[in-house]
Amino acid sequence: MLGDSLASLVLSPPPQPLTIAAQLLTCMDGFDAEIMKHKPVLVIAATNRVEVLDSALCRPGRFDRLVRVDLPAESARLAILQVHADKVNLAAGVDLKPIAVASQGLSGADLANVVNEAALLAVRGRSHEVTQSCLHRALVKVLTAKSRGTGMSS
């Protein structure tokens, strides 16, 4: 039993942020410095989780600039919700505005999670449409998970 536990620790893949960081570092180390003097390479990367970035990525000569993008304002949250809601079957009369108003502090990824979670709630309720109630319950679930610092789980 103990051997199985240890084997799963050794054989399990590394967490995704470490895999991504390793891949970026490998690619960046492959750039020829002499060629880059004449033809610079611009690498742009984005993350919602700055806290998990490997410090090796941010040292001089790697990613020299860190640009923070504020969380979306209400109008942007509404637009983001509309983009994601277009991918699900919304019930007639669903209004995304109250969700946009109540979702202050959420990122675009969080808002996508709200819509996805609402769709899951609809399916679990054996409905073919996402209702206002589904969206509200999904928002509460995402906000609760965020306040606890946990990821979304079913």
Side-chain angles (χ1 to χ4, degrees), residues 113 117 120-121 124 141-142 145-146 148 150-154:
N113 282 340
E117 186 62 33
L120 288 172
L121 289 169
R124 288 181 189 135
K141 188 170 183 177
V142 169
K146 194 165 178 73
R148 289 183 182 163
T150 61
M152 290 295 299
S153 63
S154 55

Side-chain angles (χ1 to χ4, degrees), residues 71-81 97-104:
L71 292 171
E74 183 182 316
S75 60
R77 292 194 303 274
L78 179 58
I80 292 166
L81 285 166
K97 178 102 169 133
I99 304 300
V101 170
S103 59
Q104 185 173 358

